[in-house]
Structures are given as structure tokens and as C-alpha cells.
Amino acid sequence: MTTPALTLYHNPKSRSAGARVLLEALGVDYTIKPVDFAAGGTRTPEFLAINPMGKLPTLVHGDAVITEQVAITIYLADRFPEAGLAPALDHPQRGPYLRWLAFYAGCFEPALMDHAFKRAPIDPSTSPYRDYDTVIDTLVAQLSRGDYLLGDTLTAADLLWGTALKWTTSFGIVPRLPVVMAYIDRVCAHPACVRAAELDDKLAAQMAPPEQA
């Protein structure tokens, strides 16, 4: 049986950076389709036919289109279990693994956007993530319990979180607390993170507009 091709629509300066890290960690063959924001690459009819949201990351695997960071993380880690980056369905850590992936999408991302754009807080009883401080405190408490989200074992969830925290701490929308920075250092020292960063640096240089004479 022929293995379907994996194609990641990608821009190095976007959330798809985490998807590329995961693909590198899985050790699978994949193709990058660069998406140039400056040229309106996410708004072309061709791209919108694949992902009507016009957002990255977008992954195509054979006939399947997978969007949303967390869905891509779950899909790839489960689809290629030999890499050992996701607890099996019957593993005791499967629930906590899914918890932290859902927490990323359902709490962390919306809390950060509200905080970054200085939106007025709403009643915590009606907020899906309660409030920004609670989200950060909950994350920090978990990171304080071990090297990784699930203790001593790195999973695909850590590759997502580590990549995201590297960006968000650099922008100042997540505090650069010692436990957070130590976690970022551990995750980003993974060979897949190093390789992905090198590949993305080259891609970013290729996509940069030519210098004016």
C-alpha cells in the first residue's frame, strides 16, 4: 500500500512552526508549501479551497485536510505511533495528554489574545478560560511538577507548547519565569526543534523581499 504524501502549508513566522517541529520529530517524509503572507498567500482562491479559514497550519495527507494546531498534533502523533510521541489510547497518561492539548486551544490561546490586545476581562463564570492569570498559574504549576507536561517523558504536546512558549515569551505576552524558560530550553534542545529552526531560517531568507538598491 502506498503511503499518502504529507504536505504542510507553512510560513516560518506562524503557528505552523510547531507542526514542522513535530514532522521533524516523527522522522517522516513531508513537503513544505510556502505561504507568503506579504503576497496574500492565505487569501488566494487555491488556498481558501483547502482551508476556508485562510489560516496556518494546514496539513494535507492524501485526500485528508487537517487544520487547527491541536488537531494536527493529535493526528500526526497518533498516525505515526512508532515515534512514541503520544500515549496509547489505553495508557494512563492518555487523558492528561489530551487535557494539555485541549487546554492549549481552549484556554491558553484565547487568554493570550485577550491579554495581548488588552481586552476588558469578562465575568470569570462565563469565560471559557476563567482569566489570564489563572491560565498562566495553572500552566506554571504543571511545569513545576517535572521536566515535561507529563513528567519525565516528552510528548507531541511538549513540542507544541515549547514552540508556542518560545514565541510568546519573546513577545512579552507570557512572563519569562524561570520554570517557563527552563522548560522552553529543554524542549527546544530536542534535535527536531534544532533541525526545524535551521530549515525555517533558510526558508525565511528565501521568502524575504529583495533589498532595495
Side-chain angles (χ1 to χ4, degrees):
M1 182 179 295
T2 302
T3 302
L6 280 162
T7 300
L8 179 68
Y9 288 79
H10 176 57
N11 185 295
K13 298 180 180 180
S14 78
R15 289 173 175 84
S16 61
R20 181 167 215 176
V21 167
L22 179 53
L23 286 164
E24 286 292 324
L26 292 170
V28 296
D29 292 330
Y30 67 95
T31 299
I32 289 291
K33 284 283 187 77
V35 178
D36 189 341
F37 293 146
T42 57
R43 307 309 301 171
T44 65
E46 293 79 11
F47 185 72
L48 291 174
I50 298 169
N51 183 355
M53 295 291 290
K55 299 289 288 183
L56 299 178
T58 295
L59 179 74
V60 177
H61 192 197
D63 294 330
V65 175
I66 308 97
T67 67
E68 316 316 314
Q69 277 183 298
V70 168
I72 289 172
T73 300
I74 296 170
Y75 177 80
L76 286 174
D78 285 350
R79 180 64 177 75
F80 301 98
E82 58 275 11
L85 289 174
L89 294 180
D90 59 351
H91 193 284
Q93 289 281 49
R94 180 69 181 190
Y97 167 75
L98 293 175
R99 174 199 176 186
W100 290 107
L101 286 171
F103 187 85
Y104 177 87
C107 298
F108 181 73
E109 280 266 2
L112 253 63
M113 291 302 97
D114 285 349
H115 179 73
F117 289 99
K118 297 180 172 58
R119 295 167 181 153
I122 63 174
D123 185 339
S125 67
T126 63
S127 169
Y129 61 82
R130 190 167 181 85
D131 57 61
Y132 169 84
D133 289 338
T134 300
V135 168
I136 297 299
D137 289 347
T138 301
L139 173 63
V140 168
Q142 185 66 17
L143 296 183
S144 301
R145 294 188 176 103
D147 285 348
Y148 302 106
L149 286 166
L150 301 186
D152 296 331
T153 302
L154 179 139
T155 69
D158 293 297
L159 297 177
L160 171 64
W161 273 98
T163 303
L165 288 170
K166 183 178 180 180
W167 281 90
T168 53
T169 53
S170 70
F171 295 146
I173 51 178
V174 169
R176 295 173 60 86
L177 301 172
V179 68
V180 174
M181 302 311 294
Y183 174 74
I184 293 169
D185 288 344
R186 280 192 296 275
V187 174
C188 292
H190 190 285
C193 294
V194 176
R195 285 195 306 272
E198 292 171 349
L199 291 168
D200 275 353
D201 285 345
K202 292 178 183 178
L203 180 59
Q206 293 168 4
M207 296 175 70
E211 294 184 5
Q212 296 295 320

